[in-house]
Amino acid sequence: MSKSTLKEAEKRTLPPPRTLGRHWLIELKDCAPGLLQDVPGVERIMRKAATVAEVHIVSGHFHQFSPYGVSGVLVIQESHLTIHTWPEYAYAAVDIFTCSPELRVREAIRQLQQDLEAGEVEVKMLERGRLE
Amino acid sequence: MSKSTLKEAEKRTLPPPRTLGRHWLIELKDCAPGLLQDVPGVERIMRKAATVAEVHIVSGHFHQFSPYGVSGVLVIQESHLTIHTWPEYAYAAVDIFTCSPELRVREAIRQLQQDLEAGEVEVKMLERGRLE
């Protein structure tokens, strides 16, 4: 059997992984409002979190809202990180969606809490792509 | 009382909205794999969904994985839409995060199901930024 035929046969017979991804939804409350206001600061914090998580950044895109507030995304090989900030409520919503179980996500969340000076952090983790 | 002083006083006394955003996590299974493979097709489908939802696109960024599969994001004024596809499993994970309750998200989800020919769709909606 040729190598490519064997590979096809294996694909058909091997079961898929249990889940394809993990999605961490992070609520950061009572942050320092000044840290949530502008793109340079928010982008720096998110890139640092990505470094701590040991993900591989493909591209980053951050948008400044007026008069303040930021929406940003880091597209990563392992899926994405996003952030939306509401400085007027001292709140930021962060998502970390990964398709690799080996990443240091918890450490990244701790880093975010520290860098945004969040007084309260809530974390939910949901499985994505749970296949039969 | 001057206008700016009044505005500050109002800010201090008005309660924040109940939640700042809604986050829809959408699992699309048994899709047509060919529709999940490439950036042009996936981007077109996502932009159509955004149009149906009546959101305002700020920017779009789609990445082609090799040999197939796409990760993409639409940064919108109301937050974001993301997609990650696994053509080999006929699966796509879509997120719609909005800070406006007036959007036609359900219609957008139906459009996605139709355009990706998904045999099965699971939807979760989570509140983000629920403030006391």
Side-chain angles (χ1 to χ4, degrees), chain A residues 11 16-17 20 23 25-27 29 58 61 63 68 79-80 82 84 89 91 93-95 126 128-130, chain B residues 11 16-17 20 23 25-27 29 58 61 63 68 79-80 82 84 89 91 93-95 126 128-130:
Chain A
K11 265 193 188 172
L20 294 173
H23 190 159
L25 292 86
I26 306 144
E27 305 282 280
K29 301 181 181 180
V58 173
H61 315 278
H63 179 75
Y68 41 61
S79 293
H80 73 256
T82 55
H84 302 288
Y89 300 118
Y91 166 78
V94 171
D95 283 57
L126 298 177
R128 304 298 297 271
R130 192 183 177 93
Chain B
K11 264 193 189 172
L20 294 173
H23 190 159
L25 291 86
I26 306 146
E27 305 283 279
K29 300 180 180 180
V58 173
H61 314 278
H63 179 75
Y68 41 63
S79 293
H80 72 256
T82 55
H84 301 288
Y89 299 119
Y91 165 78
V94 172
D95 283 58
L126 298 177
R128 303 301 295 272
R130 191 184 178 95

Side-chain angles (χ1 to χ4, degrees), chain A residues 28 31 45 107-121:
Chain A
L28 296 122
C31 299
I45 287 169
E107 290 84 348
I109 294 171
R110 272 196 287 271
Q111 189 69 51
L112 283 165
Q113 178 171 13
Q114 177 180 315
D115 289 346
L116 291 174
E117 298 177 17
E120 184 184 341
V121 178

